[in-house]
Amino acid sequence: FVDDEEIRGEYYPESIELIKEVTGASKVVLFDHTIRRHRPGVPETDESKRQPVMQVHVDQTPDSATARVHRHLPAAEAEKLVKKRFQIVNLWRPISHPAIDYPLALCDYRTVDVQKDLVPVTLVYPDREGETYGVKFNPSHTWKYKKEMKQDEVVLIKCYDSAKGVAVLTPHTGFKDPSAPRGAPLRESIELRALVFYE
């Protein structure tokens, strides 16, 4: 998990198959990945120094999810695909060693007040704008995490689902686990972002 070309050539194809198998999707398009390495005191000056995110968020809003489909697929195909069910799903896993330091926590969608808890946040890039959700504190939120998650375990994080009557998104964050032993290896993880389509 050092060379981006190797990740795209080796890890992307097996991850596509895994997402299809778990979700029953007919088509999966991976559009990027991020490697995060916890390095206390090291500033995030470039893509290679991404730290765990310690702020509750959701990676996509409905508008930015639809824009992602149009950005990564040919116009005619995108137009057809957004008329059917589609999702954006992140595949997250630890690399190098178990995630003891700053593991990933997930909020139960059933405890989220979608009207009050979610705050759209605009991301401004040189060539475009994106949008995520910040998440306000709500004492009703219920959180879960997999303690000491191993490298052969994965979490699928639903960032958007166009279907009605289902969990539409998952607020998530990295966090300092107070039960982690002193001197635990610093977190290293990879997340892939996927457009997931259904017939």
Side-chain angles (χ1 to χ4, degrees):
F1 295 102
V2 175
D3 182 286
D4 280 345
E5 288 311 308
E6 269 188 49
I7 291 169
R8 288 186 188 94
E10 303 268 336
Y11 190 54
Y12 275 32
E14 69 183 45
S15 298
I16 287 169
E17 291 311 309
L18 176 63
I19 293 169
K20 281 183 175 179
E21 182 181 322
V22 171
T23 64
S26 53
K27 179 181 181 79
V28 172
V29 177
L30 298 179
F31 60 89
D32 73 8
H33 68 274
T34 301
I35 294 176
R36 298 189 187 279
R37 291 185 166 92
H38 185 206
R39 300 293 180 258
V42 176
E44 274 193 38
T45 52
D46 60 49
E47 287 290 314
S48 68
K49 294 187 167 72
R50 302 287 295 272
Q51 301 272 5
V53 175
M54 287 167 278
Q55 183 175 4
V56 181
H57 66 285
V58 180
D59 292 18
Q60 308 290 331
T61 64
D63 288 344
S64 66
T66 302
R68 278 279 179 198
V69 177
H70 287 281
R71 183 162 182 236
H72 297 292
L73 291 164
E77 185 180 7
E79 206 51 55
K80 289 179 188 168
L81 289 170
V82 296
K83 291 179 180 167
K84 299 178 183 175
R85 182 183 188 189
F86 76 95
Q87 301 168 321
I88 294 185
V89 173
N90 292 0
L91 188 153
W92 188 97
R93 77 179 332 143
I95 53 177
S96 304
H97 47 264
I100 300 168
D101 169 71
Y102 285 88
L104 181 73
L106 307 163
C107 185
D108 185 335
Y109 176 77
R110 295 168 294 186
T111 67
V112 175
D113 184 329
V114 174
Q115 302 305 315
K116 294 181 181 173
D117 297 348
L118 305 177
V119 180
V121 177
T122 301
L123 304 176
V124 180
Y125 301 97
D127 59 335
R128 64 187 171 86
E129 286 190 2
E131 192 174 56
T132 63
Y133 280 130
V135 181
K136 294 180 185 178
F137 171 75
N138 180 334
S140 298
H141 290 164
T142 301
W143 290 88
K144 296 182 181 185
Y145 80 109
K146 174 89 164 83
K147 188 172 179 67
E148 299 182 13
M149 190 173 157
K150 297 177 178 56
Q151 303 94 294
D152 63 349
E153 298 174 309
V154 301
V155 171
L156 296 181
I157 308 167
K158 190 192 290 188
C159 295
Y160 175 74
D161 196 328
S162 67
K164 306 293 182 223
V166 299
V168 175
L169 49 79
T170 308
H172 55 282
T173 186
F175 75 101
K176 182 174 174 57
D177 182 353
S179 72
R182 184 176 233 160
L186 299 175
R187 182 179 118 187
E188 297 188 356
S189 60
I190 184 169
E191 60 207 76
L192 299 180
R193 295 175 189 86
L195 300 168
V196 181
F197 302 101
Y198 298 86
E199 285 299 325

mmCIF file of all heavy atoms in Angstrom, residues 51-77:
data_model
loop_
_atom_site.group_PDB
_atom_site.id
_atom_site.type_symbol
_atom_site.label_atom_id
_atom_site.label_comp_id
_atom_site.label_asym_id
_atom_site.label_seq_id
_atom_site.Cartn_x
_atom_site.Cartn_y
_atom_site.Cartn_z
ATOM 1 N N GLN A 51 -3.858 12.229 7.495
ATOM 2 C CA GLN A 51 -4.040 11.731 8.852
ATOM 3 C C GLN A 51 -5.468 11.205 9.008
ATOM 4 O O GLN A 51 -6.342 11.534 8.199
ATOM 5 C CB GLN A 51 -3.814 12.881 9.847
ATOM 6 C CG GLN A 51 -2.445 13.516 9.759
ATOM 7 C CD GLN A 51 -1.417 12.818 10.631
ATOM 8 O OE1 GLN A 51 -1.670 11.798 11.256
ATOM 9 N NE2 GLN A 51 -0.229 13.393 10.677
ATOM 10 N N PRO A 52 -5.750 10.406 10.054
ATOM 11 C CA PRO A 52 -7.140 10.034 10.324
ATOM 12 C C PRO A 52 -7.997 11.284 10.524
ATOM 13 O O PRO A 52 -7.538 12.274 11.101
ATOM 14 C CB PRO A 52 -7.046 9.229 11.625
ATOM 15 C CG PRO A 52 -5.637 8.725 11.667
ATOM 16 C CD PRO A 52 -4.811 9.800 11.004
ATOM 17 N N VAL A 53 -9.228 11.244 10.029
ATOM 18 C CA VAL A 53 -10.157 12.363 10.200
ATOM 19 C C VAL A 53 -10.848 12.191 11.542
ATOM 20 O O VAL A 53 -11.490 11.175 11.793
ATOM 21 C CB VAL A 53 -11.203 12.402 9.052
ATOM 22 C CG1 VAL A 53 -12.236 13.492 9.300
ATOM 23 C CG2 VAL A 53 -10.506 12.601 7.720
ATOM 24 N N MET A 54 -10.733 13.194 12.394
ATOM 25 C CA MET A 54 -11.328 13.107 13.722
ATOM 26 C C MET A 54 -12.445 14.132 13.864
ATOM 27 O O MET A 54 -12.503 14.902 14.808
ATOM 28 C CB MET A 54 -10.244 13.264 14.779
ATOM 29 C CG MET A 54 -9.394 12.005 14.832
ATOM 30 S SD MET A 54 -7.886 12.162 15.760
ATOM 31 C CE MET A 54 -6.825 12.929 14.556
ATOM 32 N N GLN A 55 -13.317 14.116 12.878
ATOM 33 C CA GLN A 55 -14.485 14.985 12.867
ATOM 34 C C GLN A 55 -15.618 14.179 12.232
ATOM 35 O O GLN A 55 -15.428 13.575 11.168
ATOM 36 C CB GLN A 55 -14.190 16.229 12.044
ATOM 37 C CG GLN A 55 -15.311 17.216 12.024
ATOM 38 C CD GLN A 55 -14.905 18.493 11.290
ATOM 39 O OE1 GLN A 55 -13.819 18.600 10.734
ATOM 40 N NE2 GLN A 55 -15.803 19.451 11.269
ATOM 41 N N VAL A 56 -16.762 14.139 12.879
ATOM 42 C CA VAL A 56 -17.869 13.339 12.371
ATOM 43 C C VAL A 56 -18.354 13.944 11.051
ATOM 44 O O VAL A 56 -18.608 15.141 10.962
ATOM 45 C CB VAL A 56 -19.020 13.267 13.394
ATOM 46 C CG1 VAL A 56 -20.155 12.405 12.847
ATOM 47 C CG2 VAL A 56 -18.524 12.713 14.727
ATOM 48 N N HIS A 57 -18.480 13.085 10.041
ATOM 49 C CA HIS A 57 -18.835 13.572 8.706
ATOM 50 C C HIS A 57 -19.466 12.451 7.885
ATOM 51 O O HIS A 57 -19.443 11.278 8.271
ATOM 52 C CB HIS A 57 -17.582 14.087 7.982
ATOM 53 C CG HIS A 57 -16.585 13.008 7.681
ATOM 54 N ND1 HIS A 57 -15.772 12.441 8.644
ATOM 55 C CD2 HIS A 57 -16.277 12.363 6.521
ATOM 56 C CE1 HIS A 57 -15.005 11.519 8.102
ATOM 57 N NE2 HIS A 57 -15.301 11.432 6.811
ATOM 58 N N VAL A 58 -20.027 12.834 6.760
ATOM 59 C CA VAL A 58 -20.496 11.907 5.723
ATOM 60 C C VAL A 58 -19.869 12.418 4.433
ATOM 61 O O VAL A 58 -19.924 13.611 4.142
ATOM 62 C CB VAL A 58 -22.034 11.895 5.604
ATOM 63 C CG1 VAL A 58 -22.485 10.928 4.518
ATOM 64 C CG2 VAL A 58 -22.679 11.530 6.941
ATOM 65 N N ASP A 59 -19.282 11.523 3.646
ATOM 66 C CA ASP A 59 -18.474 11.942 2.489
ATOM 67 C C ASP A 59 -19.269 12.581 1.354
ATOM 68 O O ASP A 59 -18.686 13.291 0.542
ATOM 69 C CB ASP A 59 -17.719 10.742 1.911
ATOM 70 C CG ASP A 59 -16.633 10.230 2.853
ATOM 71 O OD1 ASP A 59 -16.669 10.561 4.050
ATOM 72 O OD2 ASP A 59 -15.760 9.487 2.391
ATOM 73 N N GLN A 60 -20.570 12.312 1.270
ATOM 74 C CA GLN A 60 -21.362 12.814 0.138
ATOM 75 C C GLN A 60 -22.706 13.344 0.612
ATOM 76 O O GLN A 60 -23.241 12.878 1.620
ATOM 77 C CB GLN A 60 -21.638 11.687 -0.876
ATOM 78 C CG GLN A 60 -20.433 10.916 -1.346
ATOM 79 C CD GLN A 60 -19.503 11.701 -2.233
ATOM 80 O OE1 GLN A 60 -19.915 12.609 -2.943
ATOM 81 N NE2 GLN A 60 -18.227 11.363 -2.210
ATOM 82 N N THR A 61 -23.245 14.278 -0.145
ATOM 83 C CA THR A 61 -24.640 14.692 -0.017
ATOM 84 C C THR A 61 -25.366 14.133 -1.250
ATOM 85 O O THR A 61 -24.710 13.661 -2.191
ATOM 86 C CB THR A 61 -24.766 16.229 -0.001
ATOM 87 O OG1 THR A 61 -24.325 16.735 -1.272
ATOM 88 C CG2 THR A 61 -23.954 16.847 1.127
ATOM 89 N N PRO A 62 -26.694 14.176 -1.304
ATOM 90 C CA PRO A 62 -27.378 13.691 -2.513
ATOM 91 C C PRO A 62 -26.888 14.389 -3.785
ATOM 92 O O PRO A 62 -26.662 13.732 -4.808
ATOM 93 C CB PRO A 62 -28.856 13.992 -2.225
ATOM 94 C CG PRO A 62 -28.951 13.920 -0.729
ATOM 95 C CD PRO A 62 -27.657 14.497 -0.224
ATOM 96 N N ASP A 63 -26.702 15.701 -3.732
ATOM 97 C CA ASP A 63 -26.242 16.422 -4.926
ATOM 98 C C ASP A 63 -24.831 16.022 -5.322
ATOM 99 O O ASP A 63 -24.537 15.814 -6.504
ATOM 100 C CB ASP A 63 -26.305 17.938 -4.702
ATOM 101 C CG ASP A 63 -27.728 18.468 -4.681
ATOM 102 O OD1 ASP A 63 -28.652 17.751 -5.128
ATOM 103 O OD2 ASP A 63 -27.916 19.604 -4.211
ATOM 104 N N SER A 64 -23.937 15.915 -4.342
ATOM 105 C CA SER A 64 -22.558 15.573 -4.701
ATOM 106 C C SER A 64 -22.443 14.118 -5.141
ATOM 107 O O SER A 64 -21.588 13.785 -5.968
ATOM 108 C CB SER A 64 -21.597 15.884 -3.551
ATOM 109 O OG SER A 64 -21.830 15.067 -2.429
ATOM 110 N N ALA A 65 -23.312 13.239 -4.622
ATOM 111 C CA ALA A 65 -23.298 11.838 -5.064
ATOM 112 C C ALA A 65 -23.689 11.742 -6.539
ATOM 113 O O ALA A 65 -23.029 11.057 -7.332
ATOM 114 C CB ALA A 65 -24.245 11.006 -4.201
ATOM 115 N N THR A 66 -24.743 12.433 -6.913
ATOM 116 C CA THR A 66 -25.171 12.436 -8.319
ATOM 117 C C THR A 66 -24.093 13.056 -9.202
ATOM 118 O O THR A 66 -23.790 12.544 -10.289
ATOM 119 C CB THR A 66 -26.505 13.189 -8.467
ATOM 120 O OG1 THR A 66 -27.478 12.553 -7.629
ATOM 121 C CG2 THR A 66 -26.994 13.182 -9.905
ATOM 122 N N ALA A 67 -23.473 14.128 -8.728
ATOM 123 C CA ALA A 67 -22.393 14.766 -9.488
ATOM 124 C C ALA A 67 -21.224 13.810 -9.684
ATOM 125 O O ALA A 67 -20.572 13.821 -10.738
ATOM 126 C CB ALA A 67 -21.943 16.040 -8.785
ATOM 127 N N ARG A 68 -20.946 12.974 -8.684
ATOM 128 C CA ARG A 68 -19.863 11.990 -8.800
ATOM 129 C C ARG A 68 -20.126 11.022 -9.968
ATOM 130 O O ARG A 68 -19.220 10.681 -10.711
ATOM 131 C CB ARG A 68 -19.722 11.192 -7.511
ATOM 132 C CG ARG A 68 -18.944 11.863 -6.446
ATOM 133 C CD ARG A 68 -17.476 11.692 -6.667
ATOM 134 N NE ARG A 68 -16.713 12.362 -5.634
ATOM 135 C CZ ARG A 68 -15.440 12.668 -5.760
ATOM 136 N NH1 ARG A 68 -14.784 12.373 -6.863
ATOM 137 N NH2 ARG A 68 -14.794 13.278 -4.800
ATOM 138 N N VAL A 69 -21.354 10.556 -10.090
ATOM 139 C CA VAL A 69 -21.681 9.643 -11.189
ATOM 140 C C VAL A 69 -21.388 10.331 -12.522
ATOM 141 O O VAL A 69 -20.739 9.764 -13.403
ATOM 142 C CB VAL A 69 -23.150 9.183 -11.125
ATOM 143 C CG1 VAL A 69 -23.489 8.299 -12.327
ATOM 144 C CG2 VAL A 69 -23.432 8.436 -9.815
ATOM 145 N N HIS A 70 -21.841 11.564 -12.662
ATOM 146 C CA HIS A 70 -21.628 12.304 -13.909
ATOM 147 C C HIS A 70 -20.150 12.614 -14.141
ATOM 148 O O HIS A 70 -19.705 12.697 -15.283
ATOM 149 C CB HIS A 70 -22.461 13.587 -13.911
ATOM 150 C CG HIS A 70 -23.915 13.333 -14.090
ATOM 151 N ND1 HIS A 70 -24.483 13.067 -15.318
ATOM 152 C CD2 HIS A 70 -24.930 13.259 -13.193
ATOM 153 C CE1 HIS A 70 -25.784 12.862 -15.172
ATOM 154 N NE2 HIS A 70 -26.076 12.964 -13.894
ATOM 155 N N ARG A 71 -19.399 12.763 -13.067
ATOM 156 C CA ARG A 71 -17.974 13.087 -13.209
ATOM 157 C C ARG A 71 -17.147 11.893 -13.661
ATOM 158 O O ARG A 71 -16.157 12.042 -14.383
ATOM 159 C CB ARG A 71 -17.456 13.593 -11.868
ATOM 160 C CG ARG A 71 -16.018 14.018 -11.927
ATOM 161 C CD ARG A 71 -15.644 14.896 -10.750
ATOM 162 N NE ARG A 71 -14.269 15.285 -10.909
ATOM 163 C CZ ARG A 71 -13.327 15.068 -10.010
ATOM 164 N NH1 ARG A 71 -13.617 14.512 -8.873
ATOM 165 N NH2 ARG A 71 -12.089 15.436 -10.239
ATOM 166 N N HIS A 72 -17.539 10.689 -13.242
ATOM 167 C CA HIS A 72 -16.683 9.526 -13.460
ATOM 168 C C HIS A 72 -17.173 8.587 -14.567
ATOM 169 O O HIS A 72 -16.485 7.620 -14.876
ATOM 170 C CB HIS A 72 -16.515 8.754 -12.155
ATOM 171 C CG HIS A 72 -15.831 9.558 -11.092
ATOM 172 N ND1 HIS A 72 -14.505 9.930 -11.168
ATOM 173 C CD2 HIS A 72 -16.300 10.113 -9.940
ATOM 174 C CE1 HIS A 72 -14.178 10.649 -10.115
ATOM 175 N NE2 HIS A 72 -15.255 10.773 -9.352
ATOM 176 N N LEU A 73 -18.334 8.866 -15.135
ATOM 177 C CA LEU A 73 -18.860 7.996 -16.187
ATOM 178 C C LEU A 73 -19.271 8.833 -17.397
ATOM 179 O O LEU A 73 -19.584 10.017 -17.255
ATOM 180 C CB LEU A 73 -20.054 7.207 -15.664
ATOM 181 C CG LEU A 73 -19.697 6.158 -14.606
ATOM 182 C CD1 LEU A 73 -20.914 5.688 -13.868
ATOM 183 C CD2 LEU A 73 -18.972 4.985 -15.242
ATOM 184 N N PRO A 74 -19.295 8.230 -18.594
ATOM 185 C CA PRO A 74 -19.741 8.959 -19.782
ATOM 186 C C PRO A 74 -21.160 9.485 -19.596
ATOM 187 O O PRO A 74 -21.996 8.859 -18.926
ATOM 188 C CB PRO A 74 -19.695 7.895 -20.884
ATOM 189 C CG PRO A 74 -18.765 6.840 -20.378
ATOM 190 C CD PRO A 74 -18.889 6.854 -18.883
ATOM 191 N N ALA A 75 -21.442 10.642 -20.177
ATOM 192 C CA ALA A 75 -22.704 11.360 -19.948
ATOM 193 C C ALA A 75 -23.936 10.492 -20.181
ATOM 194 O O ALA A 75 -24.849 10.456 -19.347
ATOM 195 C CB ALA A 75 -22.754 12.607 -20.821
ATOM 196 N N ALA A 76 -23.990 9.783 -21.311
ATOM 197 C CA ALA A 76 -25.184 8.985 -21.637
ATOM 198 C C ALA A 76 -25.377 7.855 -20.622
ATOM 199 O O ALA A 76 -26.499 7.585 -20.183
ATOM 200 C CB ALA A 76 -25.066 8.418 -23.050
ATOM 201 N N GLU A 77 -24.286 7.208 -20.229
ATOM 202 C CA GLU A 77 -24.372 6.118 -19.252
ATOM 203 C C GLU A 77 -24.779 6.666 -17.884
ATOM 204 O O GLU A 77 -25.631 6.088 -17.197
ATOM 205 C CB GLU A 77 -23.030 5.393 -19.163
ATOM 206 C CG GLU A 77 -23.070 4.182 -18.256
ATOM 207 C CD GLU A 77 -21.733 3.456 -18.162
ATOM 208 O OE1 GLU A 77 -20.722 3.953 -18.704
ATOM 209 O OE2 GLU A 77 -21.717 2.388 -17.524
#
